[in-house]
Amino acid sequence: MVDFKGELTMERRKFIKGAGVAGVAAGAVAASSFPKPAISQGRKEWSMVTTWPKNFPGLGTGAEIVADYITRMSGGRLSVKVYGAGEIVPAFESIDAVGSGTVEMGHGAPYYWKGKVPASQYLAAMPFGMTAQEQNAWYQYGGGQEIADEIYAEMNCKFFPSGNTGVQMGGWFNKEINGVDDFKGLKMRMPGLGGEVIKAAGATVVNLPGGELLAAMQTGAIDAMEWVGPYNDLAFGIYKVAKYYYYPGWHEPATTLENFINLDAWNSLDDELKTIVQAANTVANQLVLSEFMARNNDSLQKLVNEHNVDVRPYPDDLLQELGRISGELMTEFMSQDPLSKKVGTSIVNFRKGALEWTKLSEQTFTAARSLPFKYVQL
């Protein structure tokens, strides 16, 4: 569990009022094998299945944040128990278990469901897309939440952003990557739209849940992989099976994690419980991003200094070529179905406006901050 400092001491109605909440597969499984909701004196007990290993840093713990806040803010009126990948259903069957109503909630990443509703992958991240701050602004003030709900209704689910990894790393390899031709023939784990880009560059994309990645590298089932960033990659021990660690994560500049809820279960909640669920996800969305920011640098230093990982930048000409391929593919994919066109067009338009402000604000500030002047001497 996440270690929360102190208890929630405010009455839950007062908390909700002051929370400042922004707008926020295969195969059938016998229902008898799943925990079912218990309703006693107005109380509900829900189960949340996840695509992550139980309590895995930043991802599995993000699901625990949501469950813990819902349970405590509701005073136990709605309690949520989290199950890691494989405890009830395999990771990639989570959306089926929730959509069918076998369990009430799930936690994962939207690109995992692109085989069911292709438009879902845009909700996670677009190659060379938006930063986490820009992406959250799109969800809250750019119509993203409404479009996400429309997409997830196709899977009989309600959608909430529930965490963000920030900019990821570019991937782990056992050979140098100097140009786009180095992707040819490579068996690489990379999900979502980024995977489509490297496929167009000649790679073979192998999609696997996190719990299977290390073994896949050890057995040669894959030659290269990306997972998240230093915090998670250190915890998984990927440095044991790969030598080169490339950056930046052009494929996932900010990956939205998700909490999805069976629509019938969601609609059964009263307004207060709906607000609590929304508030819990808003809190988790910020806390998970903050945790990645806080932990990544220390983890990177351990990878370099203790495990001798070779950290390298992608060459600029390679990034430019990947950017060109990304633009062509996004244009093609967005024309393939109405929902993909709707969500892709909305993101691209919001990105244009955000890019102008980001270039004037964060980009110029970080450049100024990097100038070689003496700062506070401690």
Side-chain angles (χ1 to χ4, degrees):
M1 286 288 293
V2 175
D3 182 19
F4 296 103
K5 295 181 180 179
E7 296 295 323
L8 295 177
T9 56
M10 295 179 289
E11 296 180 5
R12 66 180 186 276
R13 290 183 184 273
K14 183 178 179 181
F15 181 93
I16 296 166
K17 183 178 180 181
V21 177
V24 147
V29 183
S32 60
S33 67
F34 289 80
K36 300 305 294 180
I39 304 176
S40 175
Q41 297 180 342
R43 294 176 179 266
K44 298 175 182 286
E45 295 178 4
W46 281 10
S47 298
M48 180 196 294
V49 293
T50 77
T51 62
W52 323 115
K54 181 74 171 177
N55 282 322
F56 188 74
L59 303 174
T61 53
E64 297 284 355
I65 291 173
V66 176
D68 190 70
Y69 266 89
I70 290 172
T71 301
R72 291 198 290 159
M73 286 195 291
S74 69
R77 281 215 299 134
L78 175 58
S79 61
V80 180
K81 184 174 182 179
V82 178
Y83 294 87
E87 288 191 279
I88 293 181
V89 292
F92 291 162
E93 294 182 21
S94 298
I95 197 74
D96 293 322
V98 175
S100 68
T102 307
V103 292
E104 296 82 14
M105 302 183 82
H107 199 275
Y111 46 43
Y112 290 151
W113 323 126
K114 70 175 187 176
K116 299 180 178 299
V117 183
S120 64
Q121 61 191 321
Y122 294 86
L123 299 174
M126 284 180 65
F128 298 93
M130 296 190 288
T131 67
Q133 184 166 315
E134 292 165 349
Q135 198 155 290
N136 283 333
W138 174 72
Y139 274 111
Q140 295 170 357
Y141 297 102
Q145 178 68 57
E146 293 76 15
I147 295 175
D149 281 337
E150 185 177 353
I151 292 169
Y152 272 65
E154 298 288 313
M155 297 179 281
N156 199 38
C157 292
K158 165 71 176 172
F159 173 93
F160 285 108
S162 193
N164 199 298
T165 65
V167 182
Q168 298 198 5
M169 288 291 283
W172 291 87
F173 303 84
N174 280 315
K175 70 172 188 176
E176 295 182 8
I177 303 296
N178 296 312
V180 71
D181 287 345
D182 290 320
F183 283 100
K184 290 182 178 178
L186 201 68
K187 294 179 294 183
M188 185 171 183
R189 186 270 183 189
M190 181 177 281
L193 293 164
E196 298 293 341
V197 174
I198 64 166
K199 184 190 298 183
T204 297
V205 176
V206 182
N207 281 325
L208 296 169
E212 300 177 20
L213 295 180
L214 209 62
M217 283 286 284
Q218 289 171 327
T219 62
I222 56 177
D223 306 312
M225 60 170 285
E226 66 78 41
W227 179 227
V228 180
Y231 182 37
N232 282 167
D233 296 358
L234 176 66
F236 256 8
I238 302 173
Y239 60 87
K240 299 174 185 177
V241 295
K243 179 179 180 180
Y244 299 109
Y245 198 23
Y246 276 87
Y247 67 92
W250 56 270
H251 62 297
E252 295 185 47
T255 303
T256 295
L257 311 177
E258 58 176 358
N259 176 214
F260 46 96
I261 306 169
N262 175 271
L263 270 180
D264 292 331
W266 169 253
N267 290 328
S268 75
L269 300 180
D270 59 37
D271 288 345
E272 184 182 64
L273 287 178
K274 285 181 177 178
T275 302
I276 287 170
V277 171
Q278 182 182 14
N281 278 289
T282 301
V283 170
N285 199 45
Q286 180 59 47
L287 287 180
V288 170
L289 177 61
S290 296
E291 183 178 12
F292 277 112
M293 175 59 74
R295 310 296 185 203
N296 271 333
N297 186 61
D298 286 347
S299 298
L300 179 63
Q301 297 311 310
K302 289 181 180 179
L303 288 170
V304 172
N305 298 322
E306 297 179 18
H307 303 294
N308 300 312
V309 171
D310 191 343
V311 180
R312 298 190 176 193
Y314 281 124
D316 286 347
D317 56 351
L318 170 59
L319 290 172
Q320 186 159 332
E321 181 64 10
L322 291 171
R324 182 192 64 78
I325 296 172
S326 297
E328 291 180 354
L329 284 179
M330 297 311 102
T331 301
E332 176 187 343
F333 291 164
M334 285 164 54
S335 67
Q336 291 179 351
D337 66 272
L339 275 178
S340 291
K341 183 175 182 180
K342 185 173 185 176
V343 65
T345 300
S346 178
I347 290 172
V348 169
N349 285 336
F350 194 88
R351 176 185 178 276
K352 288 178 182 176
L355 187 60
E356 292 303 312
W357 172 241
T358 300
K359 284 196 296 185
L360 189 66
S361 54
E362 277 84 358
Q363 190 170 327
T364 56
F365 167 70
T366 53
R369 187 175 61 179
S370 299
L371 293 173
F373 53 81
K374 289 186 177 180
Y375 196 51
V376 178
Q377 305 298 305
L378 298 178

